[in-house]
Amino acid sequence: MEYDSSFPVEEIEKRTPTMWRYREALPIEHDRFIISMSEGFTPLIEEEICRRKVLIKQDYLFPTGSYKDRGASVLVSYAKEHSIESVVEDSSGNAGCSISAYSARAGISCEIFVPEGTSARKLDQISAYGARLRLVRGSREDTARSILGSAYESFYASHTYNPVFLHGTKTFSFEICEQLGWKGPDTIVLPVGNGTLLLGASIGFHEMKSARIIDNIPKIIAVQSENCSPLVQAFNRRLEQPVDVETKSTVAEGIAIERPVRGSQILRAVRDSGGLFLSVSEMEIIEARNEMSRRGHFLEPTAAATISGLKKYIAFSDPGECIISVFTGHGLKTG
């Protein structure tokens, strides 16, 4: 999905500090259809990690507790603008929470398919918004397959297939650049499962470069769990598609995607940025979560996996790099 974005900087800076301040870059034609809870423009805080000062975007401070609200706000607004009355979505949890919440806000009927092993707290959250919950036996991929019949009958509000979702997550990049004084960072460290944040960030930085707001695309460092790392292995083998892997259980359920449908796009985006992929162990994820908790940041394990990857990257990074990472999901979402 191509979108001709513009950035009237002086006007943007006068607007309410939400992701919708970048109105000219978001694919909703009429303001009356915007479904928003004043999400976005999350703080960019400085943390010292491995004796290096880095910046962390606090995207766990969204209405439903994860960055997925960026995509849900735009996608549900798009559905509202097109008079859609019911949506379906499949998710490992957070996207289901976001689509459920914004559908409730819009008065749109919603049905969410999730793996039966999904965190009980996320299931409670989805149900609380009034969505119909379908538990699917098997893997995340089994859940995606099970929704196909329903997707023929209702609008498929997919965070993986529907490109409108990415035009919500791209606001992550816009906010970072504005918070840096309309400049881009050198490097961003992000989690990757289905790639909704990574691809959105890549789109956003490219749009800002095309608009001559920034000069260069940041290097993208993508983090996966060692127990489910089809993109890491493909990158290391110089392949253009994710490899088939034998996966094991991981606490980082949000990135436990065995066959990412946009895998080739993710690999290309990272390579084109001059970035790389890193994998982290279960112990490293748990240690990173404990460390961040002792600093006052309560993260879900997927978010902690990103910080674990950040620590690995810092070990061989350039001392002068401006590095930005993200807290993607709140710890209250998991048991």
Side-chain angles (χ1 to χ4, degrees):
M1 177 180 179
E2 298 292 332
Y3 190 74
D4 188 16
S5 295
S6 63
F7 302 91
V9 170
E10 291 185 3
E11 290 300 314
I12 289 170
E13 291 178 339
K14 297 175 186 176
R15 294 172 183 167
T16 302
T18 77
M19 60 177 252
W20 287 96
R21 70 200 273 114
Y22 310 107
R23 182 69 185 84
E24 294 82 2
L26 297 172
I28 305 300
E29 188 172 349
H30 301 291
D31 285 2
R32 68 181 183 274
F33 296 112
I34 293 174
I35 307 301
S36 174
M37 291 185 271
S38 296
E39 59 286 309
F41 219 77
T42 54
L44 188 64
I45 63 169
E46 185 177 88
E47 287 284 342
E48 186 172 308
I49 297 178
C50 297
R51 300 181 182 178
R52 280 283 299 278
K53 290 183 179 180
V54 298
L55 297 171
I56 307 288
K57 194 95 164 86
Q58 291 182 287
D59 265 20
Y60 63 172
L61 299 179
F62 271 85
T64 76
S66 89
Y67 81 89
K68 294 279 177 54
D69 290 358
R70 294 186 184 277
S73 180
V74 175
L75 183 51
V76 174
S77 297
Y78 181 89
K80 190 71 173 178
E81 187 164 53
H82 290 79
S83 302
I84 290 163
E85 297 181 352
S86 64
V87 302
V88 295
E89 159 73 319
D90 58 293
S91 168
S92 60
N94 281 338
C97 294
S98 292
I99 294 295
S100 299
Y102 284 84
S103 293
R105 186 85 169 175
I108 293 174
S109 174
C110 179
E111 186 173 23
I112 304 293
F113 289 65
V114 295
E116 62 180 3
T118 299
S119 163
R121 292 185 183 180
K122 291 177 183 176
L123 299 181
D124 288 344
Q125 189 177 2
I126 291 168
S127 297
Y129 297 129
R132 295 187 304 278
L133 192 59
R134 293 285 190 91
L135 298 181
V136 179
R137 180 174 297 177
S139 68
R140 178 66 182 84
E141 284 68 31
D142 293 324
T143 304
R145 285 190 290 270
S146 71
I147 200 174
L148 295 180
S150 296
Y152 283 114
E153 301 171 3
S154 297
F155 179 76
Y156 190 15
S158 172
H159 63 293
T160 56
Y161 287 101
N162 198 312
V164 176
F165 197 95
L166 300 179
H167 285 272
T169 56
K170 72 182 181 183
T171 59
F172 174 82
S173 301
F174 302 162
E175 292 176 18
I176 285 173
C177 291
E178 183 176 355
Q179 288 168 316
L180 291 178
W182 299 105
K183 297 184 295 184
D186 297 312
T187 306
I188 55 172
V189 181
L190 303 173
V192 61
N194 273 314
T196 49
L197 181 57
L198 187 151
L199 290 174
S202 178
I203 290 168
F205 285 123
H206 277 91
E207 287 185 356
M208 298 203 89
K209 186 173 185 292
S210 294
R212 298 183 178 178
I213 299 293
I214 61 175
D215 296 325
N216 299 297
I217 304 300
K219 181 167 52 180
I220 300 173
I221 309 302
V223 182
Q224 291 203 294
S225 164
E226 283 183 1
N227 284 2
C228 186
S229 58
L231 294 165
V232 172
Q233 295 184 47
F235 179 82
N236 291 341
R237 291 160 60 179
R238 295 185 171 84
L239 302 176
E240 296 182 0
Q241 297 284 346
V243 300
D244 290 331
V245 294
E246 182 179 346
T247 62
K248 301 177 183 178
S249 176
T250 175
V251 293
E253 64 180 10
I255 52 174
I257 309 299
E258 189 176 339
R259 297 182 182 86
V261 297
R262 294 184 180 271
S264 60
Q265 289 176 256
I266 296 167
L267 287 161
R268 185 165 59 250
V270 172
R271 286 190 175 114
D272 288 351
S273 76
L276 53 85
F277 287 81
L278 295 172
S279 62
V280 293
S281 70
E282 297 300 288
M283 184 59 68
E284 288 170 330
I285 295 170
I286 293 167
E287 288 176 351
R289 190 183 193 210
N290 291 340
E291 179 183 344
M292 290 300 103
S293 294
R294 289 191 293 272
R295 295 181 183 211
H297 303 299
F298 190 37
L299 308 180
E300 69 170 332
T302 300
T306 311
I307 303 307
S308 182
L310 170 63
K311 294 172 70 175
K312 280 194 170 182
Y313 178 71
I314 286 172
F316 58 85
S317 64
D318 187 311
E321 276 183 75
C322 174
I323 303 173
I324 291 181
S325 192
V326 60
F327 296 152
T328 49
H330 203 285
L332 291 174
K333 298 175 75 71
T334 55

